[in-house]
Structure formats: C-alpha cells, structure tokens
Amino acid sequence: MNYPNVTLWSDACFFSPYVMSVFVALSEKGVPFSLQHIDLSSQENLAQPYSQISLTRRVPTLQVDDFLLSESSAIEEYLEERFPAPEFERLYPRDLKKRAKAREIQAWLRSDFLPIREERPTEVLFAGDTFGPLSEAAQHSAAKLIAAVERLLSAGQQNLFGEWSIADTDLAVMINRLVLHGDAVPESVADYAHFQWQRASVQLWLSESSRRPCE
C-alpha cells in the first residue's frame, strides 16, 4: 500500500494528552507517521515558522502530504474518514448513537474538569510528579467524573461501548490523573483505567514519552 506522508507535531516533552490521543489513533490505524517536536516552554509554537503549519498554533497538528489540521478531536474524525474500516482499525463505534456518545465524552473531557487538569497535570501521568491534596473544587470535579464513569460502565466492563474507541483512551487519561497520583478512586473505575493503560498503542506513547524527560 502506498501511504501518504504523515507527520504528527507534538510538544517536545510529550506531556500533551491531546497529542497522546492522536498518537494512539494513528498507531491504532496502523498508519506510518513521523514525529516533529515544538518547544512550548520557549513559545516556539507562537513563532512564525509554526504559525504556517498550525492555524491554532497549538499541538497536536497533523500533516498528511500537504494537508494540515490542528485540534485533536478534528484530527481523529479526519483520520476515521481518511483511513476507513474495514481496511483500517476503527477509532469510533460502528453504531451511530454510540459514535455520538463517544464524541460527547471526548468533548466533555476537553471542556470540563479544569480543577483536575490544573491540580493533577500530565506530569503525574508521564513524569510521576506528585502534588498537594485536591482542593474542594477539584474534589467536586473528581466526584462528577467518577459518577459519570460509574454510570457509563457496568460491572467488569472494560470498554465504554463493548468495543475499544478513542474515547476510552481519553477517559482513561483523565481518570489516571487521579489514580496514578494515589487519589481515592473506586476500584472498578481504577481497574477500567488500568486496563486501557495496557493497550499497545498507549504503551508505545508511554515509551516515547519516557525517552524525552523534561525539567
């Protein structure tokens, strides 16, 4: 098969959960791709060269031949259409309503839970950093997250929709901000996140991240 030239632009530290999501999506699709890195700490993303690559001047950005696209959810929907099943693995459920629910969860995770993201940043996930106890606001945010997960998952359920989707990876990222820090999380919720964390595509990302330590 003749694949297009595909490049994924990442933060230099590999700490972005949104880059991780696209990395996992590409890995699941089995599409060969290369990686380029942007140093966010020095605001390289705001400099003129990267502004010609990314409309939003953020990561991730995907380049497929001469087509450029930013924002992880848009990229993943593009990948699902550009590299469709059955020739390529699915990122979203087959069922229309389940696909819509997967996108609902992704959008919610990206637009809510700010206290968790602030107090349990991705350094917890990818560098093993620890922080102080959760504030009251973060505790409320965590309780809302856990209640939603318990509503979505029945006992022993390992994937949200009976089959893996990219929403499972995104949800596991948010849960593991708490689990990997040692915060109190129900065992069933922690087990779900642990199961998702063992997926080969996620382990590939964790291996890549571990090779790029940042101060």
Side-chain angles (χ1 to χ4, degrees), residues 25-199:
L26 284 165
S27 299
E28 292 287 341
K29 285 290 185 186
V31 176
F33 64 99
S34 60
L35 289 161
Q36 293 287 341
H37 312 119
I38 293 295
D39 186 357
L40 302 184
S41 65
S42 67
Q43 297 189 328
E44 186 179 3
N45 56 305
L46 301 180
Q48 183 65 20
Y50 191 62
S51 72
Q52 301 304 305
I53 296 168
S54 173
L55 179 69
T56 63
R57 305 193 187 192
R58 305 202 298 182
V59 294
T61 292
L62 184 75
Q63 182 169 2
V64 179
D65 290 332
D66 60 353
F67 177 65
L68 294 160
L69 185 66
S70 297
E71 299 302 309
S72 58
S73 57
I75 290 170
E76 287 160 1
E77 293 188 28
Y78 167 76
L79 289 174
E80 188 78 323
E81 296 184 16
R82 178 65 175 78
F83 303 102
E87 188 173 2
F88 299 92
E89 293 297 320
R90 294 180 183 275
L91 300 180
Y92 292 93
R94 294 173 176 82
D95 179 79
L96 174 64
K97 292 179 180 178
K98 290 180 179 180
R99 285 200 304 275
K101 293 299 290 185
R103 291 178 174 125
E104 174 192 44
I105 291 166
Q106 286 188 293
W108 189 29
L109 291 168
R110 285 160 171 74
S111 62
D112 201 347
F113 306 109
L114 180 61
I116 298 176
R117 287 187 272 121
E118 287 183 336
E119 298 181 31
R120 298 294 181 260
T122 49
E123 285 81 353
V124 170
L125 301 170
F126 308 132
D129 289 359
T130 57
F131 299 86
L134 291 172
S135 67
E136 184 175 350
Q139 290 178 43
H140 286 308
S141 192
K144 180 170 62 173
L145 172 67
I146 290 166
V149 176
E150 290 180 326
R151 178 178 171 184
L152 289 165
L153 297 174
S154 58
Q157 187 175 337
Q158 295 178 318
N159 297 308
L160 286 167
F161 304 107
E163 57 183 323
W164 177 86
S165 77
I166 193 64
D168 284 298
T169 296
D170 291 348
L171 182 57
V173 167
M174 187 62 73
I175 297 168
N176 272 332
R177 291 174 185 266
L178 303 169
V179 172
L180 296 180
H181 194 273
D183 297 305
V185 172
E187 183 176 1
S188 61
V189 175
D191 286 347
Y192 163 81
H194 176 75
F195 178 81
Q196 295 299 329
W197 221 236
Q198 304 314 305
R199 196 168 182 88

